[in-house]
Amino acid sequence: RDQPRSRGLGDVYKRQLSAQDFLEHTEDEVCRALRYDRPLSVLMVHLEGITRIDQDLGRDVAKQAVAGSVVTLVRTLRRIDRIGRLGLSEFGIILPETRLGNAESAATRLRDLFAAGPVESAKGSHEIGLNIGISSVNPRIRDGKEFLMLACAQLRSARRIGNGEISTRPPERVHVSISRTGSIH
Protein backbone atom coordinates (compact mmCIF):
# COMPACT_ATOMS: atom_id res chain seq x y z
CA ARG A 1 0.00 0.00 0.00
CA ASP A 2 1.24 3.44 -0.92
CA GLN A 3 1.57 5.30 2.38
CA PRO A 4 0.24 8.86 2.66
CA ARG A 5 3.04 11.42 2.54
CA SER A 6 3.21 15.08 3.30
CA ARG A 7 2.48 16.81 0.02
CA GLY A 8 2.41 20.41 -1.12
CA LEU A 9 -0.82 22.09 -2.19
CA GLY A 10 0.26 21.96 -5.84
CA ASP A 11 0.27 18.15 -5.69
CA VAL A 12 -3.08 18.18 -3.90
CA TYR A 13 -4.76 20.20 -6.64
CA LYS A 14 -3.10 18.25 -9.46
CA ARG A 15 -4.71 15.11 -8.08
CA GLN A 16 -8.21 16.66 -8.01
CA LEU A 17 -10.02 15.98 -11.28
CA SER A 18 -12.86 17.95 -12.83
CA ALA A 19 -16.22 16.18 -12.97
CA GLN A 20 -15.75 15.31 -16.67
CA ASP A 21 -12.18 14.06 -16.16
CA PHE A 22 -13.35 12.01 -13.18
CA LEU A 23 -16.08 10.36 -15.28
CA GLU A 24 -13.59 9.53 -18.05
CA HIS A 25 -11.02 8.24 -15.57
CA THR A 26 -13.68 6.07 -13.91
CA GLU A 27 -14.70 4.58 -17.26
CA ASP A 28 -11.05 3.71 -18.00
CA GLU A 29 -10.56 2.15 -14.56
CA VAL A 30 -13.77 0.10 -14.78
CA CYS A 31 -12.81 -1.22 -18.24
CA ARG A 32 -9.37 -2.18 -16.91
CA ALA A 33 -10.80 -3.83 -13.78
CA LEU A 34 -13.31 -5.86 -15.81
CA ARG A 35 -10.83 -6.83 -18.53
CA TYR A 36 -8.15 -8.05 -16.10
CA ASP A 37 -10.47 -9.21 -13.30
CA ARG A 38 -8.97 -6.73 -10.82
CA PRO A 39 -10.64 -5.13 -7.79
CA LEU A 40 -11.83 -1.52 -7.98
CA SER A 41 -13.94 0.56 -5.64
CA VAL A 42 -15.29 4.09 -5.55
CA LEU A 43 -16.28 6.28 -2.63
CA MET A 44 -18.91 8.96 -3.20
CA VAL A 45 -18.40 11.52 -0.45
CA HIS A 46 -20.70 14.29 0.77
CA LEU A 47 -19.17 16.97 3.01
CA GLU A 48 -21.88 17.56 5.58
CA GLY A 49 -21.97 21.14 6.85
CA ILE A 50 -20.73 22.99 3.75
CA THR A 51 -24.22 24.23 2.85
CA ARG A 52 -24.64 25.64 6.36
CA ILE A 53 -21.25 27.41 6.12
CA ASP A 54 -22.27 28.80 2.71
CA GLN A 55 -25.55 30.16 4.12
CA ASP A 56 -24.11 31.51 7.39
CA LEU A 57 -20.68 32.80 6.35
CA GLY A 58 -20.80 33.10 2.57
CA ARG A 59 -19.58 31.36 -0.55
CA ASP A 60 -15.90 32.31 -0.09
CA VAL A 61 -15.70 30.75 3.37
CA ALA A 62 -17.51 27.63 2.10
CA LYS A 63 -14.97 27.36 -0.74
CA GLN A 64 -12.12 27.64 1.78
CA ALA A 65 -13.70 24.94 3.95
CA VAL A 66 -14.06 22.69 0.88
CA ALA A 67 -10.42 23.37 -0.09
CA GLY A 68 -9.28 22.45 3.41
CA SER A 69 -11.36 19.28 3.23
CA VAL A 70 -9.83 18.34 -0.14
CA VAL A 71 -6.34 18.77 1.30
CA THR A 72 -7.26 16.43 4.16
CA LEU A 73 -8.77 13.86 1.77
CA VAL A 74 -5.85 13.87 -0.66
CA ARG A 75 -3.22 13.69 2.07
CA THR A 76 -4.99 10.63 3.49
CA LEU A 77 -5.33 8.78 0.18
CA ARG A 78 -2.77 6.70 -1.68
CA ARG A 79 -0.97 8.18 -4.69
CA ILE A 80 -2.89 5.87 -7.07
CA ASP A 81 -6.29 7.04 -5.78
CA ARG A 82 -8.03 9.85 -7.68
CA ILE A 83 -10.51 12.38 -6.37
CA GLY A 84 -12.99 14.31 -8.49
CA ARG A 85 -15.21 17.20 -7.50
CA LEU A 86 -18.79 16.49 -8.53
CA GLY A 87 -20.68 19.33 -6.81
CA LEU A 88 -20.31 22.02 -4.15
CA SER A 89 -19.85 19.43 -1.42
CA GLU A 90 -19.72 16.11 -3.31
CA PHE A 91 -16.63 14.21 -4.37
CA GLY A 92 -15.87 10.87 -5.95
CA ILE A 93 -12.77 8.91 -5.02
CA ILE A 94 -11.55 6.08 -7.26
CA LEU A 95 -9.68 3.37 -5.35
CA PRO A 96 -7.86 1.08 -7.83
CA GLU A 97 -6.87 -2.40 -6.65
CA THR A 98 -9.26 -2.09 -3.70
CA ARG A 99 -11.89 -4.63 -2.68
CA LEU A 100 -15.11 -3.66 -0.89
CA GLY A 101 -13.82 -4.48 2.61
CA ASN A 102 -10.72 -2.32 2.14
CA ALA A 103 -12.86 0.47 0.66
CA GLU A 104 -15.05 0.34 3.78
CA SER A 105 -11.93 0.60 5.93
CA ALA A 106 -10.73 3.62 3.93
CA ALA A 107 -14.17 5.25 4.24
CA THR A 108 -14.21 4.66 7.99
CA ARG A 109 -10.72 6.11 8.31
CA LEU A 110 -11.75 9.25 6.38
CA ARG A 111 -14.98 9.66 8.35
CA ASP A 112 -13.17 9.28 11.67
CA LEU A 113 -10.48 11.76 10.62
CA PHE A 114 -13.11 14.42 9.91
CA ALA A 115 -14.97 13.59 13.13
CA ALA A 116 -11.74 13.98 15.14
CA GLY A 117 -11.26 17.66 14.41
CA PRO A 118 -12.46 20.73 12.55
CA VAL A 119 -11.38 21.96 9.12
CA GLU A 120 -9.70 25.37 9.09
CA SER A 121 -10.51 28.39 6.91
CA ALA A 122 -9.70 32.10 7.12
CA LYS A 123 -12.89 32.58 9.17
CA GLY A 124 -12.03 29.93 11.76
CA SER A 125 -12.69 26.26 12.37
CA HIS A 126 -15.63 24.37 10.90
CA GLU A 127 -17.10 21.05 11.88
CA ILE A 128 -17.53 18.99 8.70
CA GLY A 129 -18.81 15.45 8.63
CA LEU A 130 -18.69 12.88 5.87
CA ASN A 131 -21.45 10.68 4.50
CA ILE A 132 -20.10 8.07 2.11
CA GLY A 133 -21.54 5.69 -0.46
CA ILE A 134 -19.36 2.83 -1.69
CA SER A 135 -19.47 0.67 -4.78
CA SER A 136 -17.10 -2.06 -5.96
CA VAL A 137 -16.78 -3.59 -9.39
CA ASN A 138 -18.61 -6.87 -9.73
CA PRO A 139 -19.62 -9.04 -12.71
CA ARG A 140 -23.03 -7.30 -13.01
CA ILE A 141 -21.48 -3.88 -13.64
CA ARG A 142 -21.11 -3.16 -17.33
CA ASP A 143 -19.48 0.27 -17.44
CA GLY A 144 -18.26 3.29 -15.48
CA LYS A 145 -21.60 5.07 -15.56
CA GLU A 146 -23.40 2.15 -13.93
CA PHE A 147 -20.56 1.83 -11.39
CA LEU A 148 -20.91 5.50 -10.38
CA MET A 149 -24.70 5.36 -10.40
CA LEU A 150 -24.64 2.57 -7.84
CA ALA A 151 -22.23 4.53 -5.64
CA CYS A 152 -24.44 7.65 -5.94
CA ALA A 153 -27.45 5.63 -4.84
CA GLN A 154 -25.41 4.41 -1.87
CA LEU A 155 -24.51 8.02 -1.05
CA ARG A 156 -28.17 9.05 -1.16
CA SER A 157 -28.94 6.28 1.30
CA ALA A 158 -26.11 7.45 3.58
CA ARG A 159 -27.25 11.08 3.38
CA ARG A 160 -30.81 10.15 4.38
CA ILE A 161 -29.44 8.71 7.61
CA GLY A 162 -26.69 11.34 8.00
CA ASN A 163 -24.26 11.75 10.89
CA GLY A 164 -21.27 10.08 9.27
CA GLU A 165 -23.12 7.20 7.65
CA ILE A 166 -21.29 4.82 5.30
CA SER A 167 -23.53 2.86 2.93
CA THR A 168 -22.53 -0.22 0.95
CA ARG A 169 -25.86 -2.03 0.78
CA PRO A 170 -27.17 -2.15 -2.79
CA PRO A 171 -30.45 -0.25 -3.18
CA GLU A 172 -33.48 -1.87 -4.75
CA ARG A 173 -33.50 0.61 -7.64
CA VAL A 174 -30.97 3.08 -8.94
CA HIS A 175 -32.35 6.46 -10.09
CA VAL A 176 -29.34 8.60 -10.96
CA SER A 177 -28.54 10.76 -13.97
CA ILE A 178 -25.44 12.52 -15.28
CA SER A 179 -25.92 16.04 -16.67
CA ARG A 180 -24.14 17.48 -19.71
CA THR A 181 -21.69 19.26 -17.39
CA GLY A 182 -20.77 15.97 -15.74
CA SER A 183 -22.66 16.50 -12.49
CA ILE A 184 -24.15 13.32 -11.04
CA HIS A 185 -27.72 13.58 -9.68
Side-chain angles (χ1 to χ4, degrees), residues 99-112:
R99 297 188 192 296
L100 181 60
N102 291 338
E104 289 172 328
S105 296
T108 301
R109 195 169 48 254
L110 289 171
R111 180 197 59 200
D112 293 348

Side-chain angles (χ1 to χ4, degrees), residues 29-50:
E29 288 291 338
V30 168
C31 288
R32 185 177 300 111
L34 292 172
R35 182 180 318 119
Y36 298 111
D37 194 28
R38 302 299 307 157
L40 174 68
S41 294
V42 65
L43 306 179
M44 296 304 275
V45 177
H46 172 254
L47 302 174
E48 197 170 43
I50 296 297

Side-chain angles (χ1 to χ4, degrees), residues 128-143:
I128 296 175
L130 299 184
N131 293 309
I132 304 172
I134 304 173
S135 178
S136 289
V137 166
N138 63 61
R140 294 185 312 259
I141 290 179
R142 296 180 304 271
D143 58 27

Side-chain angles (χ1 to χ4, degrees), residues 9 29 54 56-57 80 86-87 94 103-104 111 114 116 120 135-137 150-151 156 163 167:
L9 286 180
E29 288 291 338
D54 187 26
D56 295 348
L57 302 172
I80 64 169
L86 305 173
I94 296 292
E104 289 172 328
R111 180 197 59 200
F114 275 78
E120 301 296 325
S135 178
S136 289
V137 166
L150 179 58
R156 283 188 177 159
N163 297 321
S167 177

Side-chain angles (χ1 to χ4, degrees), residues 44-110:
M44 296 304 275
V45 177
H46 172 254
L47 302 174
E48 197 170 43
I50 296 297
T51 303
R52 186 184 73 256
I53 294 168
D54 187 26
Q55 293 168 349
D56 295 348
L57 302 172
R59 177 66 61 144
D60 290 340
V61 177
K63 286 181 181 179
Q64 290 173 8
V66 169
S69 299
V70 170
V71 169
T72 300
L73 289 170
V74 170
R75 287 185 174 162
T76 306
L77 299 170
R78 304 170 301 174
R79 286 196 179 272
I80 64 169
D81 301 333
R82 289 293 174 260
I83 183 170
R85 187 159 185 189
L86 305 173
L88 172 65
S89 57
E90 287 83 31
F91 292 86
I93 303 172
I94 296 292
L95 304 172
E97 298 296 324
T98 305
R99 297 188 192 296
L100 181 60
N102 291 338
E104 289 172 328
S105 296
T108 301
R109 195 169 48 254
L110 289 171

